[in-house]
């Protein structure tokens, strides 16, 4: 099942206080970038982020889920209605995320 453009737009609205939020469509899903670093993505209308230490410390209800079969587990974010919470989560994670790999 692919994610809806409406859900993507909802998440982007929740993150509109942050500068440099981008996304890339990939096989019906969306990869989310913050300052050119991959934070996570939207899979089957669910927000999943990388399970870095800062995210694990920030999230109170830790729940893992797979973005698709065979993938690494990611952190499921259920508090998507809380704009301040989502903004804080992304800001907290930024320093710990690896730089985006540049294709040659």
């Amino acid at each position: 099942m692919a994610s809806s453009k409406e859900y993507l737009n909802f998440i982007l609205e929740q993150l509109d206080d942050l500068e440099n939020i981008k996304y890339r469509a990939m096989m019906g899903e969306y990869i989310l970038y913050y300052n050119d670093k991959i934070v996570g993505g939207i899979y089957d209308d669910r927000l999943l982020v990388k399970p870095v230490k800062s995210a694990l410390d920030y999230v109170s209800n830790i729940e893992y889920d797979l973005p698709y079969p065979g993938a690494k587990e990611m952190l499921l974010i259920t508090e998507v209605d809380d704009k301040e919470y989502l903004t804080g989560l992304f800001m907290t994670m930024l320093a710990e995320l690896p730089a985006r790999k540049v294709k040659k």
Side-chain angles (χ1 to χ4, degrees):
M1 177 181 135
S3 293
S4 68
K5 189 77 169 184
E6 291 81 15
Y7 189 77
L8 168 68
N9 289 333
F10 169 72
I11 295 298
L12 294 175
E13 283 178 24
Q14 295 296 83
L15 297 169
D16 68 2
D17 288 342
L18 298 173
E19 293 182 18
N20 208 12
I21 292 285
K22 297 178 184 175
Y23 71 91
R24 189 169 98 205
M26 186 172 290
M27 299 187 320
E29 308 299 354
Y30 302 97
I31 308 298
L32 297 176
Y33 296 87
Y34 179 32
N35 286 340
D36 292 324
K37 295 181 176 184
I38 297 174
V39 180
I42 297 173
Y43 304 91
D44 296 330
D45 286 340
R46 300 168 298 148
L47 176 61
L48 300 172
V49 299
K50 291 186 171 195
V52 294
K53 184 179 180 339
S54 55
L56 295 171
D57 291 343
Y58 191 88
V59 174
S60 56
N61 183 22
I62 295 174
E63 185 178 341
Y64 292 97
D65 208 344
L66 296 173
Y68 51 88
K72 292 181 182 178
E73 285 187 329
M74 296 179 76
L75 192 57
L76 175 64
I77 305 302
T78 57
E79 297 89 351
V80 295
D81 292 328
D82 188 338
K83 183 174 184 165
E84 186 176 317
Y85 178 86
L86 281 185
T87 300
L89 173 63
F90 275 51
M91 288 174 29
T92 299
M93 293 176 64
L94 184 61
E96 198 173 345
L97 295 170
R100 187 172 170 189
K101 295 177 184 175
V102 178
K103 293 182 180 181
K104 294 181 181 180

